[in-house]
């Protein structure tokens, strides 16, 4: 009945991960397209030479996959 989006966000090492994690979670909670159950997943997935890559995995209804992706990207850009 739902699908998981897989969106990655990169931040520089200097940026506070807890602060960015809170911004991401807050942004997700404000967008009604994302389901609250299952709980969205947010965590560090990879370290590269210049950035920390964060996996963001909220859940949506199947028909909302692409619009959810676009809405998340737009909202997180605005939040940052």
């Amino acid at each position: 009945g739902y699908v998981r989006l897989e969106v990655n966000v990169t931040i520089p090492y200097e940026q506070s991960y807890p602060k960015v994690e809170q911004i991401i979670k807050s942004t997700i909670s404000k967008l009604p397209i994302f389901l609250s159950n299952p709980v969205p997943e947010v965590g560090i997935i990879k370290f590269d030479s210049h950035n920390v890559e964060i996996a963001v995995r909220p859940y949506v209804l199947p028909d909302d996959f692409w619009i959810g992706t676009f809405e998340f990207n737009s909202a997180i850009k605005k939040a940052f």
Side-chain angles (χ1 to χ4, degrees):
Y2 53 82
V3 294
R4 182 178 74 188
L5 298 184
E6 295 198 24
V7 183
N8 293 336
V9 175
T10 58
I11 61 170
Y13 279 101
E14 300 81 30
Q15 185 64 46
S16 166
Y17 171 73
K19 181 179 178 181
V20 170
E21 179 185 30
Q22 182 56 42
I23 291 169
I24 291 170
K25 288 180 176 181
S26 175
T27 301
I28 290 171
S29 72
K30 293 175 185 171
L31 296 171
I33 198 165
F34 296 120
L35 305 176
S36 58
N37 189 18
V39 175
E41 301 167 351
V42 178
I44 295 173
I45 193 166
K46 183 172 81 172
F47 299 94
D48 69 22
S49 60
H50 296 94
N51 298 300
V52 176
E53 190 169 338
I54 301 169
V56 182
R57 297 180 175 152
Y59 293 83
V60 295
L61 298 175
D63 289 343
D64 293 334
F65 182 85
W66 287 112
I67 193 70
T69 301
F70 300 148
E71 282 190 25
F72 173 80
N73 286 335
S74 179
I76 205 65
K77 169 70 169 105
K78 184 176 180 180
F80 285 160

